[in-house]
Amino acid sequence: MRGARRGGAMAALRALVHDFVSGLQDGPAPEVAAGLRAGSWTALDVVEALGSSLEHPEPRTRARGLQLLGQVLLRCHGALRHAEVTHLVLFFEARLKDHHLVIPAVLHGLHALSLSEALAPGLAVSVLKAIFQEVHVQSLLQLDRHTVYTIITNFMRTREEELKSLGTDFTFGFIQVMDGEKDPRNLLVAFQIVRDLVLKGYALGPFVEELFEVTSCYFPIDFTPPPNDPHGIQREDLIVSLRAVLASTPQFAEFLLPLLIEKMDSELQSAKLDAVQTLSACCAIYGPKELQEFLPSLWASLRREVFQTASEKLEAECLGTLTALAACLSHAVLHADTHDPLDTFLSGVLQDCRHHLCEPDMKLVWPSAKLLQAAASASLRAYHHIAGSVLPLLLEQYNQHPQSSQRRTILEMLLGFLELLQKWGHEEGDETVLLGVRAPLCSVVFSALTDPSVQLQIVGVRALTVLGALPGLLVASDLDLAVDHLTRLVLHEEDPQSSMAAMEAAGTLAPAHPGAFTDHMVRALAQELQTEREDEGTRHQRCLQALAAVSTHPSIVRETVPVLLQHLRHLQRGSEPGDTGKTASLCRSLHRVAVQSQHDPESCSFYHQAVVPCLLGLALQAALQEDALLAPGKALLEEEALTSMVPVISAASTHLSPELAVQSAALIVPLFLDGDVSFLPQNSFPCSFQPFQDGPCLAAQRRLVTLLMAFICSLPRNVPVPQQDRLLRELLALSCACDCPFAATAAAKCFAGLVNKHPEGPQLDEVLQLALNRLEPGLAEGPRRTQALGLLLWVTKALVLRYHPLSSRLTDKVLALLGDAELGPAAAEGLGLLLGDAPDVLHRGCHADVRLMYRQRFFTDNVPRLVQGFHAAHSDVKANYLKGLSHVLNHLPKPVLVTELPTLLPLLLEALSCLDRGVQLSTLRCLQPLLLEAPRALSPHGDTLVTKFLSLTDSPAMAVRIAALRCIHALTSLPAPGLLPYKARVIRALAKPLDDKKRLVRKEAVVARGDWFLLGSPGR
């Protein structure tokens, strides 16, 4: 019975073999492999079944039989036994002597066996010897040559010690295999093999030069991938792979360095760049010994390129390579009887460059400075050598050249050397070089700060910043003088650039020298705020900015915050109707201090406890006066002032410790719910604070709910809110019933912020049901439909962000309102609010619950309904759907939008024809990035896009004209052949915007028209 089954299996095997070999069918190969894996027959049975084919006098028939065997082994190499692998290897080795038509199939069989783990010791060496001796690899087709490289790679990965036993025979054999290779697919593999030969310690023996020659003949790489290359091999891939080989061992140095010098001296820019980058890579591997002989030639080539190059990239690479050279020489091990190669090299650099520094008006001054700075940046030892010679010279030259432009050049060079010293930090490198020139250096910097030239002043400020950051360099008198100079620039320098530079420098230096800045700058700024001058506005503005900028240390924050708050009290007492600009400016300064203090617990705690009660107290004082909207200080109640306080309170509350957050919540919530003012610094008010009560006289108080929103919506989610249910009900009532849109919006935002962070459960469900009960009648009819829509939008946003199940129901209500004649436009704008980032609430910075990819989910769920609604809507309200759609698409990640573009593009094109300017602007802003990121998807619509964009360049709205011109400019990223028919038309049409009355429109027209002029030119 068993014999019968065996006979049947062999008959089936012979039938499959016959179909493959004689029938020229490839299908039987998987079936034969499946039978081998199933145990129906063995690998030797397959060879036996192939017997007549393998002995056939026709080479193609033999090749076909070996091809079947190779395909089967490739599928089943893991199932082979040791004895089978041995017999098969010997069989295939013998076949390497067969006709050349048979060799490819033999190599594919050996490739399959090279993957087997059952390969006996010694067989890998046997296979490679046979290939080296019997196969002329470079006469094979590309795929077959690739198979040889793959066999070698497999054996090097799994049989490394066996191959190393071949000694230099393996290296010589591979050189013969690779010699003459031209295909980039094979070269990538061959380069990796050479690199492994070197790095894994294979014996190179006397074949170092031959191995170098067989790889360096490809340098520099000159390869342009064919269009639509399916293999995706780029020129850069080959360059990087070859560079890794050439820079892999110092043994190549004597052959490679002359080649690199030759290429650096050539006229071909790409060859120069490749040579310089390769030299830089070699410096990380080579030692001073390998470089020594070639240093003069290498330096001459690098110097020439920096002095004469027209390519910024090549110049930068040359400077980086000079740094790498000097760094390599810095690692030399010095002995008493040997000279220092670094000193010799740097002396040559100084000799060739130093004298150019004495000519600040000549073209070689900056190239020389860059070369010296590049060499000095290699190591601390190199820096001392270069800086010790250059710094005294530059200080001398500064005093010898009186012109501001020359002094600026010299000081910028000095600044470059000063900045290098920061590279190593204080622990590793002392400032002995600078200590020797400290006095003249400070004198030069202070001289620049008092020069009439603004540009020289700015460079001086930058130099002072570096000097002040180096520990121990400035003595106390110099430091005091430096702070005085910065203070003078802040207060008295007319040019705002110098003033701003001085402020930023003060902020940088203040953490290192807080005492000096507190005693000098903060005191002077505080005094200036108390003075009254004709130019008080500008001077006070600078003082506020400078106080904020310098508040970068806890001790300084404790001094500046009281000054800023005192000035705010002064402004409140003297404010007039409409005088909110000063308050807003001061709040911007307070906000900057808050942001700078967030990550220091001490500063954050102090700031919150000082600023938040003060702002609340001042706002209450203004709101609780009789006829508050006309009383002195009423500027604090105007929207601009209150809005400017929101980010201050928010930034002061987001990073509180849990204890302080709970403590503050326990004080501020009762203030708004119960009128408890006991914690405020000035708590004597003429009447009680009841912002949630009814009454016309309480309108000013209701505005302050925006300050409650700023605090309560910035707390972490784990901080409990006192009386939260009551607070939510009061906010809900105020948002729907208040006649003041500002107060109603603030209440709606605060309600939404609390809902977003509210834990899941029955309490949240009850609050949301209350909101729905308010919303539905409010949206249906009545004088406060707009307030109800505002509440709906903010609550919907709060729920969309956290993936709450009710969000889809509320979103449906918003989409339904797009067909409403009264609320439709506002609902369309509201779709942008749902997906946009609100600056004050419901963002990650204030700890809101924001889930990943909520925009993509909203898009997937709602855009089909938007499109359906557009097609079904009456013509009077279609614009609402288009505006809503463009708002949604504007906030969607562009990669997601690109995939949906074919479906949505017709609607976007129709939106461009809509008369609503808001729809036009939103659509243009949606299309511009798509033109840049998905040009091929939009290129079929070039005619329509050109026509519509050009028509919108005549829009009465400046923003639409600018957006249309930007889209016309972005059109040039589409494939040029499709745009060339429109080139003349677009250039003619863009002549009109060149004369537009608005400068920003003219600017965009110039840029767009210039690129259309160049369309189709070589190099684009």
Side-chain angles (χ1 to χ4, degrees):
M1 188 73 179
R2 181 180 302 175
R5 284 201 301 269
R6 168 75 175 168
M10 292 306 295
L13 174 60
R14 284 191 291 271
L16 291 172
V17 168
H18 180 271
D19 290 342
F20 187 95
V21 176
S22 300
L24 299 179
Q25 301 175 21
D26 292 336
E31 296 182 45
V32 174
L36 194 152
R37 283 196 299 269
S40 302
W41 46 73
T42 66
L44 297 181
D45 290 335
V46 177
V47 175
E48 182 180 345
L50 284 167
S52 60
S53 303
L54 300 179
E55 296 173 356
H56 198 279
E58 175 58 43
R60 287 181 175 82
T61 303
R62 299 200 300 277
R64 188 70 179 166
L66 288 168
Q67 183 183 352
L68 172 61
L69 182 57
Q71 290 185 16
V72 170
L73 293 177
L74 191 60
R75 289 178 169 88
C76 303
H77 60 80
L80 298 176
R81 296 188 294 273
H82 286 279
E84 291 176 320
V85 173
T86 301
H87 289 305
L88 288 168
V89 167
L90 297 176
F91 168 75
F92 277 115
E93 283 184 12
R95 290 290 172 167
L96 285 174
K97 300 177 181 180
D98 204 336
H99 194 279
H100 67 88
L101 292 176
V102 178
I103 300 302
V106 176
L107 291 174
H108 286 289
L110 289 172
H111 168 231
L113 294 173
S114 72
L115 297 170
S116 175
E117 296 181 0
L119 196 71
L123 288 181
V125 170
S126 176
V127 169
L128 291 182
K129 279 184 175 181
I131 291 175
F132 293 160
Q133 291 172 6
E134 304 297 341
V135 182
H136 184 249
V137 175
Q138 289 306 313
S139 66
L140 302 175
L141 295 177
Q142 179 272 328
L143 180 61
D144 303 322
R145 301 198 305 274
H146 192 276
T147 302
V148 174
Y149 294 126
T150 306
I151 292 171
I152 296 173
T153 301
N154 291 341
F155 284 151
M156 290 181 72
R157 185 180 67 251
T158 60
R159 310 283 167 159
E160 180 178 331
E161 295 305 320
E162 291 182 37
L163 299 193
K164 286 183 178 179
S165 68
L166 277 172
T168 57
D169 290 344
F170 177 58
T171 304
F172 180 69
F174 175 73
I175 291 173
Q176 289 181 308
V177 167
M178 181 183 175
D179 192 11
E181 181 60 64
K182 292 183 175 63
D183 192 278
R185 292 165 289 182
N186 292 346
L187 284 174
L188 284 177
V189 183
F191 289 157
Q192 184 59 48
I193 292 174
V194 177
R195 189 164 185 264
D196 289 342
L197 278 173
V198 173
L199 297 182
K200 293 184 178 180
Y202 286 81
L204 305 184
F207 301 115
V208 172
E209 185 173 1
E210 285 76 5
L211 187 62
F212 172 78
E213 292 294 340
V214 83
T215 52
S216 65
C217 62
Y218 302 100
F219 183 85
I221 294 290
D222 182 17
F223 168 69
T224 303
N228 303 318
D229 179 17
H231 307 290
I233 297 176
Q234 300 297 317
R235 178 172 176 267
E236 190 63 27
D237 299 330
L238 291 167
I239 289 175
V240 171
S241 186
L242 177 56
R243 183 177 300 148
V245 172
L246 297 178
S248 61
T249 173
Q251 296 180 74
F252 287 163
E254 61 177 308
F255 315 113
L256 176 61
L257 293 177
L259 175 63
L260 295 180
I261 293 169
E262 175 190 338
K263 299 303 180 184
M264 289 165 64
D265 295 343
S266 70
E267 297 299 324
L268 193 62
Q269 288 292 310
S270 60
K272 290 183 177 185
L273 185 61
D274 200 353
V276 170
Q277 291 173 335
T278 303
L279 175 59
S280 183
C282 290
C283 290
I285 305 297
Y286 294 180
K289 177 184 175 183
E290 287 77 22
L291 296 172
Q292 186 77 41
E293 178 185 350
F294 303 97
L295 283 176
S297 299
L298 291 172
W299 161 241
S301 298
L302 293 172
R303 181 189 66 220
R304 184 188 62 255
E305 291 306 320
V306 175
F307 278 177
Q308 300 176 4
T309 187
S311 166
E312 291 185 6
K313 183 176 183 180
L314 180 57
E315 178 189 16
E317 292 292 345
C318 287
L319 294 173
T321 301
L322 177 59
T323 302
L325 272 175
C328 178
L329 298 176
S330 300
H331 300 148
V333 178
L334 301 180
H335 301 284
D337 57 343
T338 60
H339 71 282
D340 185 353
L342 178 65
D343 282 347
T344 305
F345 179 69
L346 295 181
S347 297
V349 174
L350 283 168
Q351 180 180 349
D352 291 339
C353 297
R354 189 176 184 271
H355 61 280
H356 291 301
L357 304 183
C358 302
E359 303 165 339
D361 292 328
M362 305 302 289
K363 64 176 288 188
L364 292 182
V365 63
W366 269 115
S368 299
K370 290 177 181 179
L371 286 167
L372 289 167
Q373 289 168 5
S377 66
S379 66
L380 191 59
R381 196 153 60 93
Y383 180 84
H384 280 228
H385 188 110
I386 297 287
S389 174
V390 170
L391 291 183
L393 175 66
L394 290 176
L395 293 172
E396 178 185 339
Q397 292 300 311
Y398 183 93
N399 294 319
Q400 290 180 1
H401 291 80
Q403 294 184 15
S404 296
S405 60
Q406 296 172 327
R407 289 189 162 191
R408 177 190 171 192
T409 299
I410 295 169
L411 188 55
E412 284 180 334
M413 291 188 286
L414 268 170
L415 176 60
F417 284 101
L418 294 178
E419 289 173 337
L420 287 179
L421 196 56
Q422 296 177 312
K423 179 178 177 179
W424 295 282
H426 183 59
E427 293 182 4
E428 185 179 343
D430 56 32
E431 289 78 31
T432 53
V433 175
L434 295 185
L435 290 176
V437 294
R438 184 191 60 78
L441 185 58
C442 291
S443 175
V444 163
V445 172
F446 294 152
S447 168
L449 295 176
T450 57
D451 193 274
S453 168
V454 173
Q455 298 305 317
L456 182 54
Q457 288 178 9
I458 293 174
V459 179
V461 170
R462 290 167 55 201
L464 180 61
T465 305
V466 176
L467 283 178
L470 295 172
L473 189 62
L474 294 180
V475 297
S477 59
D478 290 335
L479 184 59
D480 292 345
L481 185 57
V483 176
D484 289 340
H485 276 300
L486 293 177
T487 305
R488 176 185 55 78
L489 290 174
V490 167
L491 293 176
H492 304 293
E493 178 55 47
E494 295 182 1
D495 191 279
Q497 287 182 307
S498 293
S499 179
M500 290 302 299
M503 292 180 200
E504 296 307 317
T508 303
L509 294 176
H513 312 284
F517 281 92
T518 300
D519 294 342
H520 294 266
M521 180 173 279
V522 174
R523 186 171 300 171
L525 295 173
Q527 291 174 354
E528 184 64 33
L529 279 177
Q530 298 173 5
T531 61
E532 297 183 3
R533 305 172 184 269
E534 293 182 3
D535 61 344
E536 175 184 324
T538 303
R539 195 73 69 84
H540 284 186
Q541 175 77 8
R542 285 192 180 181
C543 287
L544 297 176
Q545 292 175 340
L547 284 168
V550 79
S551 300
T552 51
H553 188 273
S555 65
I556 301 178
V557 171
R558 290 184 174 275
E559 299 293 331
T560 55
V561 167
V563 173
L564 292 170
L565 294 178
Q566 181 58 38
H567 189 62
L568 180 61
R569 296 187 190 96
H570 172 74
L571 290 178
Q572 185 210 20
R573 289 192 294 269
S575 61
E576 299 296 332
D579 187 17
T580 59
K582 294 179 180 178
T583 301
S585 175
L586 194 148
C587 286
R588 284 193 291 272
S589 294
L590 281 171
H591 178 251
R592 179 172 179 177
V593 178
V595 172
Q596 292 169 176
S597 303
Q598 283 178 339
H599 301 291
D600 180 76
E602 178 188 349
S603 296
C604 185
S605 173
F606 167 78
Y607 183 93
H608 178 83
Q609 292 175 307
V611 173
V612 174
C614 179
L615 291 181
L616 291 172
L618 292 175
L620 258 69
Q621 195 172 17
L624 295 179
Q625 295 180 28
E626 294 184 13
D627 199 4
L629 294 178
L630 297 177
K634 79 153 198 169
L636 284 179
L637 301 178
E638 295 190 20
E639 289 184 19
E640 182 184 358
L642 289 172
T643 302
S644 67
M645 290 185 192
V646 169
V648 178
I649 295 176
S650 179
S653 307
T654 53
H655 289 70
L656 292 179
S657 65
E659 298 79 11
L660 183 55
V662 170
Q663 177 184 336
S664 295
L667 297 173
I668 293 175
V669 173
L671 167 66
F672 282 85
L673 289 178
D674 305 317
D676 183 0
V677 298
S678 58
F679 77 98
L680 296 178
Q682 297 176 348
N683 52 23
S684 176
F685 301 108
C687 60
S688 59
F689 180 53
Q690 300 173 324
F692 293 115
Q693 299 300 317
D694 295 329
C697 61
L698 300 177
Q701 296 185 27
R702 295 193 191 104
R703 288 171 169 261
L704 303 194
V705 172
T706 192
L707 303 183
L708 171 65
M709 173 206 74
F711 170 75
I712 213 73
C713 292
S714 300
L715 295 176
R717 272 180 270 172
N718 58 0
V719 174
V721 178
Q723 307 180 65
Q724 185 169 7
D725 290 342
R726 178 187 168 193
L727 178 61
L728 284 166
R729 292 171 188 271
E730 297 286 8
L731 290 168
L732 181 61
L734 183 62
S735 65
C736 293
C738 182
D739 293 325
C740 172
F742 180 77
T745 301
K749 287 182 179 181
C750 192
F751 180 83
L754 289 171
V755 164
N756 174 263
K757 297 178 183 178
H758 201 295
E760 295 281 356
Q763 290 182 325
L764 177 61
D765 296 339
E766 181 182 353
V767 168
L768 292 175
Q769 188 58 50
L770 285 174
L772 283 174
N773 295 341
R774 284 268 192 175
L775 282 171
E776 289 173 351
L779 290 169
E781 57 183 358
R784 296 193 177 93
R785 295 186 73 201
T786 303
Q787 285 92 323
L789 174 60
L791 176 64
L792 170 64
L793 290 173
W794 284 107
V795 174
T796 304
K797 181 178 179 69
L799 299 182
V800 165
L801 292 179
R802 61 181 286 179
Y803 289 175
H804 192 278
L806 189 61
S807 62
S808 58
R809 180 178 170 187
L810 296 183
T811 304
D812 289 343
K813 291 183 179 294
V814 176
L815 296 180
L817 289 172
L818 292 173
D820 188 285
E822 178 188 356
L823 296 181
E829 293 290 345
L831 288 176
L833 183 149
L834 293 183
L835 298 185
D837 292 322
D840 42 10
V841 293
L842 296 177
H843 58 83
R844 289 188 174 90
C846 63
H847 311 291
D849 186 357
V850 181
R851 303 297 174 89
L852 291 174
M853 301 178 70
Y854 75 91
R855 291 186 175 95
Q856 290 89 321
R857 179 173 177 174
F858 186 92
F859 172 86
T860 303
D861 292 345
N862 298 295
V863 165
R865 287 186 287 171
L866 263 177
V867 175
Q868 183 181 0
F870 167 79
H871 290 301
H874 191 271
S875 58
D876 293 343
V877 295
K878 279 184 178 291
N880 297 336
Y881 288 89
L882 290 175
K883 182 185 290 186
L885 176 65
S886 61
H887 279 314
V888 171
L889 299 184
N890 262 320
H891 291 100
L892 193 68
K894 293 302 178 283
V896 178
L897 180 53
V898 167
T899 61
E900 302 292 335
L901 200 54
T903 306
L904 300 173
L905 191 57
L907 280 180
L908 291 174
L909 295 177
E910 187 166 347
L912 292 176
S913 302
C914 181
L915 297 179
D916 189 304
R917 292 172 190 166
V919 176
Q920 294 172 354
L921 183 60
S922 182
T923 306
L924 288 169
R925 288 175 175 169
C926 177
L927 284 171
Q928 186 206 357
L930 290 177
L931 288 166
L932 299 173
E933 296 179 23
R936 296 195 178 277
L938 291 167
S939 58
H941 306 274
D943 184 70
T944 306
L945 292 170
V946 168
T947 302
K948 291 185 179 293
F949 291 159
L950 289 178
S951 67
L952 291 175
T953 58
D954 290 329
S955 171
M958 182 183 76
V960 173
R961 298 201 301 277
I962 290 175
L965 288 167
R966 287 176 177 168
C967 285
I968 291 172
H969 182 207
L971 276 173
T972 59
S973 63
L974 270 59
L979 293 179
L980 288 175
Y982 312 105
K983 180 176 178 179
R985 173 186 168 193
V986 172
I987 290 173
R988 283 196 305 272
L990 290 180
K992 183 177 180 181
L994 292 176
D995 294 326
D996 197 280
K997 60 183 178 181
K998 295 294 185 180
R999 181 183 63 83
L1000 294 177
V1001 177
R1002 297 196 300 272
K1003 177 183 176 183
E1004 295 295 339
V1006 168
V1007 174
R1009 198 165 187 250
D1011 266 23
W1012 273 89
F1013 262 117
L1014 296 173
L1015 189 69
S1017 302
R1020 279 190 58 81

